[in-house]
Amino acid sequence: MRLIDSHCHLNDEAFDGDRAQVLARAKEAGLTRLLVVGSDEATSLGALDLARRHADDGLYCAVGVHPHESRLMGESIPASLQEALSDPRVVAVGETGLDYYYDHSERSVQRDVFARQIAWAISASLPLVVHVRDAFDDAFAILEAEGARRCGGVLHCFSGGPDEAERALELGFYLSFAGPLTYKKNDVLRAVAAAVPLDRILVETDSPYLAPHPLRGKRNEPAHVVLTFKVLAGLRGLDEEELASLIGENGRRLFGW
Ligand SMILES: [Zn+2]
Ligand SMILES: [Zn+2]
């Protein structure tokens, strides 16, 4: 079975001690494509460096500024990130978005930095990797106002209900499911995942965070995407090979890798 991890932070220092082994386990688990995602200037450049060095392992990257870090962004996008956008290993802008749960950056700053990155994705013709937590109304308003339909993208680690899923699909976006899909209390999320059109669905780990059941609380890694994937296959009542191949096509269509 060939699988993908549409969102991981393999560039995170949590993997500094054993990144080679983590990559070997991902390969063993059948992962053929991994999207390594940046959160600020340094981690975006780290993601690009990793994607370049491990091109043979199917690594690609997204460069951008996470809502948590948006307060650190100046008036303009760092030149290094602007330059990175033309690298063939860079297949998306992100992660960007809004996080009103943690509020690590002021909301008005989050909105401004999010809007600027949408413009950036449109001009680079790259899809967006969008993080939204407790901020769906504002996030959709900004995506619509900035014309995000033109570049498309994915709502990563989707945490909304059926209405939010509907709005994302109307915008032409994909929904990516992470470890929370496997958590006991998340029946609403499972109902959403059971109904999303099969040509708009992705899976991810968001590792090192959000390890799926039964590894919850431990460090997560790309190989564990299999656990989330199996729950999804059960929900859809689909043969695993068939679902893996559909998800693979979705990743190819969105990221062009
Ligand atoms: Zn995120
Ligand atoms: Zn992430």
Side-chain angles (χ1 to χ4, degrees), residues 183-234:
Y183 299 168
K184 204 170 174 211
K185 64 167 179 58
N186 287 344
D187 287 329
V188 173
L189 188 62
R190 279 186 287 275
V192 170
V196 173
L198 285 167
D199 61 354
R200 297 288 195 87
I201 204 163
L202 291 167
V203 283
E204 64 170 89
T205 57
D206 204 13
S207 48
Y209 314 107
L210 297 171
H213 175 79
L215 304 171
R216 193 171 181 178
K218 301 211 168 80
R219 184 190 72 170
N220 198 7
E221 64 176 64
H224 300 332
V225 78
V226 176
L227 293 166
T228 302
F229 168 78
K230 281 181 183 290
V231 167
L232 182 64

mmCIF file of all heavy atoms in Angstrom, residues 183-234:
data_model
loop_
_atom_site.group_PDB
_atom_site.id
_atom_site.type_symbol
_atom_site.label_atom_id
_atom_site.label_comp_id
_atom_site.label_asym_id
_atom_site.label_seq_id
_atom_site.Cartn_x
_atom_site.Cartn_y
_atom_site.Cartn_z
ATOM 1 N N TYR A 183 -9.749 9.698 17.963
ATOM 2 C CA TYR A 183 -10.007 9.881 19.396
ATOM 3 C C TYR A 183 -11.464 9.597 19.717
ATOM 4 O O TYR A 183 -12.375 9.964 18.969
ATOM 5 C CB TYR A 183 -9.640 11.305 19.861
ATOM 6 C CG TYR A 183 -8.189 11.690 19.682
ATOM 7 C CD1 TYR A 183 -7.788 13.018 19.823
ATOM 8 C CD2 TYR A 183 -7.200 10.745 19.380
ATOM 9 C CE1 TYR A 183 -6.461 13.405 19.669
ATOM 10 C CE2 TYR A 183 -5.874 11.124 19.213
ATOM 11 C CZ TYR A 183 -5.513 12.447 19.346
ATOM 12 O OH TYR A 183 -4.208 12.826 19.186
ATOM 13 N N LYS A 184 -11.639 8.983 20.863
ATOM 14 C CA LYS A 184 -12.939 8.456 21.267
ATOM 15 C C LYS A 184 -14.096 9.450 21.145
ATOM 16 O O LYS A 184 -15.154 9.121 20.619
ATOM 17 C CB LYS A 184 -12.823 7.958 22.709
ATOM 18 C CG LYS A 184 -13.852 6.925 23.043
ATOM 19 C CD LYS A 184 -13.583 6.270 24.381
ATOM 20 C CE LYS A 184 -14.764 5.346 24.673
ATOM 21 N NZ LYS A 184 -15.060 5.191 26.048
ATOM 22 N N LYS A 185 -13.888 10.672 21.623
ATOM 23 C CA LYS A 185 -15.030 11.599 21.709
ATOM 24 C C LYS A 185 -15.412 12.243 20.369
ATOM 25 O O LYS A 185 -16.433 12.935 20.292
ATOM 26 C CB LYS A 185 -14.731 12.683 22.742
ATOM 27 C CG LYS A 185 -13.551 13.562 22.351
ATOM 28 C CD LYS A 185 -13.491 14.800 23.243
ATOM 29 C CE LYS A 185 -12.400 15.717 22.991
ATOM 30 N NZ LYS A 185 -11.793 16.462 22.207
ATOM 31 N N ASN A 186 -14.624 12.024 19.318
ATOM 32 C CA ASN A 186 -14.814 12.816 18.096
ATOM 33 C C ASN A 186 -15.803 12.228 17.083
ATOM 34 O O ASN A 186 -15.505 12.114 15.896
ATOM 35 C CB ASN A 186 -13.468 13.076 17.420
ATOM 36 C CG ASN A 186 -12.661 14.106 18.193
ATOM 37 O OD1 ASN A 186 -13.217 14.824 19.032
ATOM 38 N ND2 ASN A 186 -11.372 14.190 17.929
ATOM 39 N N ASP A 187 -17.007 11.885 17.557
ATOM 40 C CA ASP A 187 -18.002 11.293 16.651
ATOM 41 C C ASP A 187 -18.432 12.249 15.539
ATOM 42 O O ASP A 187 -18.682 11.827 14.412
ATOM 43 C CB ASP A 187 -19.237 10.844 17.447
ATOM 44 C CG ASP A 187 -18.944 9.604 18.267
ATOM 45 O OD1 ASP A 187 -18.100 8.786 17.820
ATOM 46 O OD2 ASP A 187 -19.518 9.443 19.354
ATOM 47 N N VAL A 188 -18.503 13.553 15.854
ATOM 48 C CA VAL A 188 -18.928 14.523 14.839
ATOM 49 C C VAL A 188 -17.899 14.575 13.703
ATOM 50 O O VAL A 188 -18.242 14.568 12.519
ATOM 51 C CB VAL A 188 -19.122 15.929 15.466
ATOM 52 C CG1 VAL A 188 -19.399 16.972 14.384
ATOM 53 C CG2 VAL A 188 -20.249 15.903 16.489
ATOM 54 N N LEU A 189 -16.634 14.590 14.100
ATOM 55 C CA LEU A 189 -15.563 14.626 13.102
ATOM 56 C C LEU A 189 -15.605 13.373 12.226
ATOM 57 O O LEU A 189 -15.433 13.440 11.001
ATOM 58 C CB LEU A 189 -14.209 14.735 13.815
ATOM 59 C CG LEU A 189 -13.007 14.984 12.931
ATOM 60 C CD1 LEU A 189 -13.129 16.306 12.185
ATOM 61 C CD2 LEU A 189 -11.714 14.977 13.753
ATOM 62 N N ARG A 190 -15.853 12.221 12.851
ATOM 63 C CA ARG A 190 -15.933 10.979 12.062
ATOM 64 C C ARG A 190 -17.116 11.016 11.100
ATOM 65 O O ARG A 190 -17.022 10.537 9.973
ATOM 66 C CB ARG A 190 -15.998 9.762 12.994
ATOM 67 C CG ARG A 190 -14.623 9.350 13.515
ATOM 68 C CD ARG A 190 -14.675 8.054 14.316
ATOM 69 N NE ARG A 190 -15.280 8.253 15.623
ATOM 70 C CZ ARG A 190 -14.639 8.669 16.705
ATOM 71 N NH1 ARG A 190 -13.344 8.910 16.651
ATOM 72 N NH2 ARG A 190 -15.265 8.845 17.857
ATOM 73 N N ALA A 191 -18.217 11.630 11.533
ATOM 74 C CA ALA A 191 -19.373 11.735 10.632
ATOM 75 C C ALA A 191 -19.023 12.615 9.423
ATOM 76 O O ALA A 191 -19.414 12.322 8.295
ATOM 77 C CB ALA A 191 -20.574 12.311 11.389
ATOM 78 N N VAL A 192 -18.256 13.683 9.675
ATOM 79 C CA VAL A 192 -17.828 14.546 8.564
ATOM 80 C C VAL A 192 -16.931 13.757 7.616
ATOM 81 O O VAL A 192 -17.129 13.759 6.394
ATOM 82 C CB VAL A 192 -17.083 15.804 9.093
ATOM 83 C CG1 VAL A 192 -16.439 16.566 7.947
ATOM 84 C CG2 VAL A 192 -18.037 16.707 9.870
ATOM 85 N N ALA A 193 -15.960 13.044 8.183
ATOM 86 C CA ALA A 193 -14.998 12.297 7.361
ATOM 87 C C ALA A 193 -15.684 11.198 6.556
ATOM 88 O O ALA A 193 -15.231 10.834 5.469
ATOM 89 C CB ALA A 193 -13.904 11.696 8.243
ATOM 90 N N ALA A 194 -16.791 10.701 7.081
ATOM 91 C CA ALA A 194 -17.513 9.635 6.379
ATOM 92 C C ALA A 194 -18.255 10.179 5.158
ATOM 93 O O ALA A 194 -18.642 9.423 4.285
ATOM 94 C CB ALA A 194 -18.498 8.947 7.328
ATOM 95 N N ALA A 195 -18.455 11.508 5.118
ATOM 96 C CA ALA A 195 -19.296 12.094 4.068
ATOM 97 C C ALA A 195 -18.553 12.978 3.066
ATOM 98 O O ALA A 195 -19.111 13.351 2.045
ATOM 99 C CB ALA A 195 -20.411 12.911 4.732
ATOM 100 N N VAL A 196 -17.302 13.334 3.339
ATOM 101 C CA VAL A 196 -16.553 14.205 2.423
ATOM 102 C C VAL A 196 -16.377 13.499 1.076
ATOM 103 O O VAL A 196 -16.067 12.308 1.044
ATOM 104 C CB VAL A 196 -15.146 14.513 3.009
ATOM 105 C CG1 VAL A 196 -14.284 15.265 2.007
ATOM 106 C CG2 VAL A 196 -15.274 15.324 4.290
ATOM 107 N N PRO A 197 -16.579 14.206 -0.034
ATOM 108 C CA PRO A 197 -16.350 13.558 -1.336
ATOM 109 C C PRO A 197 -14.945 12.940 -1.404
ATOM 110 O O PRO A 197 -13.978 13.538 -0.934
ATOM 111 C CB PRO A 197 -16.482 14.720 -2.327
ATOM 112 C CG PRO A 197 -17.296 15.745 -1.620
ATOM 113 C CD PRO A 197 -17.002 15.599 -0.166
ATOM 114 N N LEU A 198 -14.879 11.768 -1.976
ATOM 115 C CA LEU A 198 -13.619 11.025 -1.968
ATOM 116 C C LEU A 198 -12.499 11.700 -2.756
ATOM 117 O O LEU A 198 -11.329 11.381 -2.576
ATOM 118 C CB LEU A 198 -13.843 9.608 -2.505
ATOM 119 C CG LEU A 198 -14.551 8.677 -1.517
ATOM 120 C CD1 LEU A 198 -15.003 7.418 -2.225
ATOM 121 C CD2 LEU A 198 -13.638 8.352 -0.337
ATOM 122 N N ASP A 199 -12.877 12.648 -3.618
ATOM 123 C CA ASP A 199 -11.818 13.332 -4.371
ATOM 124 C C ASP A 199 -11.357 14.618 -3.670
ATOM 125 O O ASP A 199 -10.665 15.435 -4.252
ATOM 126 C CB ASP A 199 -12.280 13.621 -5.808
ATOM 127 C CG ASP A 199 -13.501 14.517 -5.869
ATOM 128 O OD1 ASP A 199 -14.069 14.834 -4.801
ATOM 129 O OD2 ASP A 199 -13.898 14.900 -6.989
ATOM 130 N N ARG A 200 -11.740 14.789 -2.398
ATOM 131 C CA ARG A 200 -11.328 15.985 -1.640
ATOM 132 C C ARG A 200 -10.744 15.632 -0.277
ATOM 133 O O ARG A 200 -10.674 16.476 0.614
ATOM 134 C CB ARG A 200 -12.536 16.882 -1.389
ATOM 135 C CG ARG A 200 -13.162 17.430 -2.619
ATOM 136 C CD ARG A 200 -12.315 18.509 -3.274
ATOM 137 N NE ARG A 200 -13.166 19.186 -4.221
ATOM 138 C CZ ARG A 200 -13.949 20.216 -3.871
ATOM 139 N NH1 ARG A 200 -13.916 20.720 -2.680
ATOM 140 N NH2 ARG A 200 -14.728 20.750 -4.773
ATOM 141 N N ILE A 201 -10.356 14.391 -0.100
ATOM 142 C CA ILE A 201 -9.961 13.954 1.233
ATOM 143 C C ILE A 201 -8.466 13.623 1.288
ATOM 144 O O ILE A 201 -7.914 13.073 0.343
ATOM 145 C CB ILE A 201 -10.863 12.753 1.634
ATOM 146 C CG1 ILE A 201 -10.968 12.601 3.133
ATOM 147 C CG2 ILE A 201 -10.414 11.469 0.998
ATOM 148 C CD1 ILE A 201 -12.158 11.721 3.525
ATOM 149 N N LEU A 202 -7.833 14.027 2.407
ATOM 150 C CA LEU A 202 -6.417 13.735 2.602
ATOM 151 C C LEU A 202 -6.193 13.263 4.036
ATOM 152 O O LEU A 202 -7.055 13.469 4.901
ATOM 153 C CB LEU A 202 -5.571 14.992 2.350
ATOM 154 C CG LEU A 202 -5.500 15.501 0.902
ATOM 155 C CD1 LEU A 202 -4.909 16.904 0.860
ATOM 156 C CD2 LEU A 202 -4.654 14.549 0.046
ATOM 157 N N VAL A 203 -5.054 12.634 4.280
ATOM 158 C CA VAL A 203 -4.688 12.247 5.645
ATOM 159 C C VAL A 203 -3.298 12.786 5.972
ATOM 160 O O VAL A 203 -2.478 13.003 5.082
ATOM 161 C CB VAL A 203 -4.701 10.712 5.869
ATOM 162 C CG1 VAL A 203 -6.109 10.185 6.008
ATOM 163 C CG2 VAL A 203 -3.935 9.992 4.775
ATOM 164 N N GLU A 204 -3.071 12.987 7.250
ATOM 165 C CA GLU A 204 -1.819 13.589 7.705
ATOM 166 C C GLU A 204 -1.543 13.176 9.146
ATOM 167 O O GLU A 204 -2.429 12.639 9.832
ATOM 168 C CB GLU A 204 -1.955 15.109 7.669
ATOM 169 C CG GLU A 204 -3.022 15.617 8.653
ATOM 170 C CD GLU A 204 -3.032 17.126 8.819
ATOM 171 O OE1 GLU A 204 -3.747 17.780 8.039
ATOM 172 O OE2 GLU A 204 -2.339 17.627 9.723
ATOM 173 N N THR A 205 -0.325 13.468 9.592
ATOM 174 C CA THR A 205 -0.015 13.236 11.012
ATOM 175 C C THR A 205 0.062 14.524 11.830
ATOM 176 O O THR A 205 -0.211 14.513 13.015
ATOM 177 C CB THR A 205 1.336 12.511 11.176
ATOM 178 O OG1 THR A 205 2.358 13.288 10.544
ATOM 179 C CG2 THR A 205 1.275 11.111 10.612
ATOM 180 N N ASP A 206 0.505 15.647 11.202
ATOM 181 C CA ASP A 206 0.863 16.859 11.947
ATOM 182 C C ASP A 206 1.936 16.511 12.993
ATOM 183 O O ASP A 206 2.024 17.160 14.027
ATOM 184 C CB ASP A 206 -0.355 17.518 12.622
ATOM 185 C CG ASP A 206 -0.142 18.998 12.890
ATOM 186 O OD1 ASP A 206 0.824 19.585 12.350
ATOM 187 O OD2 ASP A 206 -0.926 19.586 13.658
ATOM 188 N N SER A 207 2.699 15.453 12.722
ATOM 189 C CA SER A 207 3.724 15.038 13.675
ATOM 190 C C SER A 207 4.769 16.149 13.844
ATOM 191 O O SER A 207 5.013 16.883 12.892
ATOM 192 C CB SER A 207 4.405 13.745 13.210
ATOM 193 O OG SER A 207 4.793 13.825 11.857
ATOM 194 N N PRO A 208 5.352 16.330 15.013
ATOM 195 C CA PRO A 208 5.337 15.424 16.174
ATOM 196 C C PRO A 208 4.110 15.528 17.079
ATOM 197 O O PRO A 208 4.073 14.896 18.128
ATOM 198 C CB PRO A 208 6.587 15.876 16.957
ATOM 199 C CG PRO A 208 6.666 17.352 16.700
ATOM 200 C CD PRO A 208 6.216 17.517 15.267
ATOM 201 N N TYR A 209 3.088 16.292 16.657
ATOM 202 C CA TYR A 209 1.910 16.482 17.513
ATOM 203 C C TYR A 209 0.830 15.452 17.202
ATOM 204 O O TYR A 209 0.884 14.768 16.192
ATOM 205 C CB TYR A 209 1.338 17.892 17.304
ATOM 206 C CG TYR A 209 2.395 18.959 17.301
ATOM 207 C CD1 TYR A 209 2.776 19.592 16.116
ATOM 208 C CD2 TYR A 209 3.072 19.290 18.479
ATOM 209 C CE1 TYR A 209 3.774 20.550 16.104
ATOM 210 C CE2 TYR A 209 4.074 20.251 18.471
ATOM 211 C CZ TYR A 209 4.424 20.872 17.274
ATOM 212 O OH TYR A 209 5.420 21.805 17.248
ATOM 213 N N LEU A 210 -0.183 15.409 18.062
ATOM 214 C CA LEU A 210 -1.447 14.721 17.773
ATOM 215 C C LEU A 210 -1.339 13.252 17.351
ATOM 216 O O LEU A 210 -1.996 12.820 16.402
ATOM 217 C CB LEU A 210 -2.201 15.480 16.665
ATOM 218 C CG LEU A 210 -2.638 16.900 17.005
ATOM 219 C CD1 LEU A 210 -3.169 17.595 15.761
ATOM 220 C CD2 LEU A 210 -3.700 16.881 18.099
ATOM 221 N N ALA A 211 -0.553 12.468 18.079
ATOM 222 C CA ALA A 211 -0.444 11.045 17.738
ATOM 223 C C ALA A 211 -1.812 10.392 17.805
ATOM 224 O O ALA A 211 -2.600 10.647 18.721
ATOM 225 C CB ALA A 211 0.513 10.346 18.702
ATOM 226 N N PRO A 212 -2.125 9.539 16.807
ATOM 227 C CA PRO A 212 -3.425 8.861 16.820
ATOM 228 C C PRO A 212 -3.527 7.828 17.943
ATOM 229 O O PRO A 212 -2.503 7.363 18.463
ATOM 230 C CB PRO A 212 -3.488 8.195 15.438
ATOM 231 C CG PRO A 212 -2.101 8.166 14.922
ATOM 232 C CD PRO A 212 -1.320 9.227 15.630
ATOM 233 N N HIS A 213 -4.747 7.449 18.265
ATOM 234 C CA HIS A 213 -4.995 6.357 19.193
ATOM 235 C C HIS A 213 -4.361 5.095 18.625
ATOM 236 O O HIS A 213 -4.487 4.876 17.423
ATOM 237 C CB HIS A 213 -6.516 6.184 19.342
ATOM 238 C CG HIS A 213 -6.904 5.024 20.187
ATOM 239 N ND1 HIS A 213 -6.872 5.076 21.564
ATOM 240 C CD2 HIS A 213 -7.287 3.757 19.856
ATOM 241 C CE1 HIS A 213 -7.247 3.895 22.048
ATOM 242 N NE2 HIS A 213 -7.499 3.082 21.035
ATOM 243 N N PRO A 214 -3.712 4.222 19.331
ATOM 244 C CA PRO A 214 -3.522 4.208 20.790
ATOM 245 C C PRO A 214 -2.206 4.851 21.236
ATOM 246 O O PRO A 214 -1.729 4.545 22.338
ATOM 247 C CB PRO A 214 -3.523 2.711 21.096
ATOM 248 C CG PRO A 214 -2.874 2.101 19.888
ATOM 249 C CD PRO A 214 -3.214 2.997 18.719
ATOM 250 N N LEU A 215 -1.642 5.725 20.412
ATOM 251 C CA LEU A 215 -0.342 6.319 20.748
ATOM 252 C C LEU A 215 -0.498 7.732 21.288
ATOM 253 O O LEU A 215 0.487 8.441 21.488
ATOM 254 C CB LEU A 215 0.559 6.337 19.506
ATOM 255 C CG LEU A 215 0.767 4.972 18.839
ATOM 256 C CD1 LEU A 215 1.479 5.132 17.494
ATOM 257 C CD2 LEU A 215 1.573 4.051 19.755
ATOM 258 N N ARG A 216 -1.727 8.155 21.497
ATOM 259 C CA ARG A 216 -2.019 9.512 21.937
ATOM 260 C C ARG A 216 -1.131 9.910 23.121
ATOM 261 O O ARG A 216 -0.959 9.146 24.062
ATOM 262 C CB ARG A 216 -3.487 9.603 22.364
ATOM 263 C CG ARG A 216 -3.936 11.024 22.533
ATOM 264 C CD ARG A 216 -5.432 11.087 22.745
ATOM 265 N NE ARG A 216 -5.824 12.487 22.886
ATOM 266 C CZ ARG A 216 -7.065 12.902 23.036
ATOM 267 N NH1 ARG A 216 -8.045 12.037 23.085
ATOM 268 N NH2 ARG A 216 -7.332 14.193 23.153
ATOM 269 N N GLY A 217 -0.561 11.121 23.012
ATOM 270 C CA GLY A 217 0.299 11.612 24.090
ATOM 271 C C GLY A 217 1.771 11.350 23.825
ATOM 272 O O GLY A 217 2.642 11.995 24.380
ATOM 273 N N LYS A 218 2.064 10.398 22.940
ATOM 274 C CA LYS A 218 3.466 10.128 22.583
ATOM 275 C C LYS A 218 3.882 11.034 21.421
ATOM 276 O O LYS A 218 3.044 11.657 20.779
ATOM 277 C CB LYS A 218 3.610 8.671 22.138
ATOM 278 C CG LYS A 218 3.196 7.654 23.182
ATOM 279 C CD LYS A 218 4.031 6.384 23.025
ATOM 280 C CE LYS A 218 3.873 5.457 24.216
ATOM 281 N NZ LYS A 218 2.637 4.656 24.170
ATOM 282 N N ARG A 219 5.184 11.052 21.130
ATOM 283 C CA ARG A 219 5.640 11.793 19.959
ATOM 284 C C ARG A 219 5.062 11.117 18.716
ATOM 285 O O ARG A 219 5.162 9.899 18.569
ATOM 286 C CB ARG A 219 7.176 11.783 19.871
ATOM 287 C CG ARG A 219 7.690 12.635 18.700
ATOM 288 C CD ARG A 219 9.186 12.441 18.456
ATOM 289 N NE ARG A 219 9.469 11.121 17.870
ATOM 290 C CZ ARG A 219 10.644 10.760 17.382
ATOM 291 N NH1 ARG A 219 11.665 11.604 17.423
ATOM 292 N NH2 ARG A 219 10.828 9.552 16.884
ATOM 293 N N ASN A 220 4.499 11.887 17.841
ATOM 294 C CA ASN A 220 3.931 11.333 16.617
ATOM 295 C C ASN A 220 5.002 11.330 15.524
ATOM 296 O O ASN A 220 5.965 12.104 15.593
ATOM 297 C CB ASN A 220 2.737 12.201 16.197
ATOM 298 C CG ASN A 220 1.811 11.511 15.203
ATOM 299 O OD1 ASN A 220 1.970 10.332 14.901
ATOM 300 N ND2 ASN A 220 0.848 12.257 14.708
ATOM 301 N N GLU A 221 4.839 10.487 14.506
ATOM 302 C CA GLU A 221 5.761 10.490 13.364
ATOM 303 C C GLU A 221 5.000 10.040 12.112
ATOM 304 O O GLU A 221 3.935 9.434 12.214
ATOM 305 C CB GLU A 221 6.970 9.590 13.634
ATOM 306 C CG GLU A 221 6.635 8.118 13.805
ATOM 307 C CD GLU A 221 7.897 7.275 13.968
ATOM 308 O OE1 GLU A 221 8.599 7.466 14.972
ATOM 309 O OE2 GLU A 221 8.168 6.444 13.076
ATOM 310 N N PRO A 222 5.530 10.362 10.919
ATOM 311 C CA PRO A 222 4.780 10.094 9.677
ATOM 312 C C PRO A 222 4.252 8.664 9.534
ATOM 313 O O PRO A 222 3.130 8.479 9.048
ATOM 314 C CB PRO A 222 5.797 10.450 8.583
ATOM 315 C CG PRO A 222 6.584 11.569 9.203
ATOM 316 C CD PRO A 222 6.745 11.162 10.648
ATOM 317 N N ALA A 223 5.010 7.653 9.960
ATOM 318 C CA ALA A 223 4.554 6.260 9.801
ATOM 319 C C ALA A 223 3.198 6.027 10.472
ATOM 320 O O ALA A 223 2.424 5.168 10.046
ATOM 321 C CB ALA A 223 5.590 5.292 10.373
ATOM 322 N N HIS A 224 2.905 6.818 11.508
ATOM 323 C CA HIS A 224 1.647 6.617 12.236
ATOM 324 C C HIS A 224 0.425 7.086 11.459
ATOM 325 O O HIS A 224 -0.704 6.903 11.921
ATOM 326 C CB HIS A 224 1.688 7.323 13.601
ATOM 327 C CG HIS A 224 2.783 6.843 14.503
ATOM 328 N ND1 HIS A 224 3.288 5.562 14.426
ATOM 329 C CD2 HIS A 224 3.466 7.461 15.501
ATOM 330 C CE1 HIS A 224 4.248 5.427 15.334
ATOM 331 N NE2 HIS A 224 4.381 6.563 15.995
ATOM 332 N N VAL A 225 0.628 7.679 10.301
ATOM 333 C CA VAL A 225 -0.530 8.090 9.490
ATOM 334 C C VAL A 225 -1.392 6.871 9.157
ATOM 335 O O VAL A 225 -2.597 6.983 8.926
ATOM 336 C CB VAL A 225 -0.082 8.833 8.193
ATOM 337 C CG1 VAL A 225 0.409 7.870 7.116
ATOM 338 C CG2 VAL A 225 -1.220 9.696 7.656
ATOM 339 N N VAL A 226 -0.766 5.705 9.155
ATOM 340 C CA VAL A 226 -1.483 4.461 8.858
ATOM 341 C C VAL A 226 -2.657 4.254 9.824
ATOM 342 O O VAL A 226 -3.731 3.801 9.418
ATOM 343 C CB VAL A 226 -0.512 3.252 8.926
ATOM 344 C CG1 VAL A 226 -1.252 1.947 8.723
ATOM 345 C CG2 VAL A 226 0.589 3.410 7.879
ATOM 346 N N LEU A 227 -2.471 4.615 11.095
ATOM 347 C CA LEU A 227 -3.529 4.411 12.096
ATOM 348 C C LEU A 227 -4.757 5.270 11.784
ATOM 349 O O LEU A 227 -5.896 4.809 11.879
ATOM 350 C CB LEU A 227 -2.991 4.743 13.499
ATOM 351 C CG LEU A 227 -1.912 3.786 14.026
ATOM 352 C CD1 LEU A 227 -1.205 4.376 15.228
ATOM 353 C CD2 LEU A 227 -2.530 2.434 14.375
ATOM 354 N N THR A 228 -4.516 6.520 11.405
ATOM 355 C CA THR A 228 -5.625 7.417 11.040
ATOM 356 C C THR A 228 -6.268 6.948 9.740
ATOM 357 O O THR A 228 -7.496 6.924 9.603
ATOM 358 C CB THR A 228 -5.094 8.862 10.901
ATOM 359 O OG1 THR A 228 -4.492 9.231 12.144
ATOM 360 C CG2 THR A 228 -6.206 9.837 10.567
ATOM 361 N N PHE A 229 -5.423 6.566 8.809
ATOM 362 C CA PHE A 229 -5.898 6.079 7.510
ATOM 363 C C PHE A 229 -6.835 4.869 7.685
ATOM 364 O O PHE A 229 -7.876 4.773 7.039
ATOM 365 C CB PHE A 229 -4.707 5.715 6.619
ATOM 366 C CG PHE A 229 -5.096 4.947 5.403
ATOM 367 C CD1 PHE A 229 -5.645 5.589 4.305
ATOM 368 C CD2 PHE A 229 -4.935 3.568 5.360
ATOM 369 C CE1 PHE A 229 -6.036 4.868 3.187
ATOM 370 C CE2 PHE A 229 -5.315 2.837 4.251
ATOM 371 C CZ PHE A 229 -5.869 3.496 3.157
ATOM 372 N N LYS A 230 -6.470 3.939 8.566
ATOM 373 C CA LYS A 230 -7.286 2.727 8.753
ATOM 374 C C LYS A 230 -8.662 3.063 9.340
ATOM 375 O O LYS A 230 -9.663 2.454 8.967
ATOM 376 C CB LYS A 230 -6.549 1.720 9.652
ATOM 377 C CG LYS A 230 -5.466 0.949 8.902
ATOM 378 C CD LYS A 230 -4.775 -0.050 9.816
ATOM 379 C CE LYS A 230 -3.648 -0.777 9.103
ATOM 380 N NZ LYS A 230 -4.110 -1.724 8.052
ATOM 381 N N VAL A 231 -8.689 4.047 10.248
ATOM 382 C CA VAL A 231 -9.976 4.484 10.790
ATOM 383 C C VAL A 231 -10.831 5.074 9.667
ATOM 384 O O VAL A 231 -12.021 4.782 9.552
ATOM 385 C CB VAL A 231 -9.767 5.504 11.941
ATOM 386 C CG1 VAL A 231 -11.069 6.208 12.296
ATOM 387 C CG2 VAL A 231 -9.190 4.801 13.164
ATOM 388 N N LEU A 232 -10.199 5.873 8.820
ATOM 389 C CA LEU A 232 -10.922 6.478 7.697
ATOM 390 C C LEU A 232 -11.460 5.398 6.742
ATOM 391 O O LEU A 232 -12.611 5.455 6.300
ATOM 392 C CB LEU A 232 -10.005 7.448 6.951
ATOM 393 C CG LEU A 232 -10.644 8.195 5.782
ATOM 394 C CD1 LEU A 232 -11.770 9.106 6.264
ATOM 395 C CD2 LEU A 232 -9.589 9.014 5.034
ATOM 396 N N ALA A 233 -10.634 4.409 6.439
ATOM 397 C CA ALA A 233 -11.067 3.331 5.537
ATOM 398 C C ALA A 233 -12.272 2.598 6.130
ATOM 399 O O ALA A 233 -13.223 2.258 5.422
ATOM 400 C CB ALA A 233 -9.914 2.362 5.280
ATOM 401 N N GLY A 234 -12.256 2.402 7.455
ATOM 402 C CA GLY A 234 -13.380 1.758 8.135
ATOM 403 C C GLY A 234 -14.643 2.600 8.012
ATOM 404 O O GLY A 234 -15.730 2.075 7.740
#
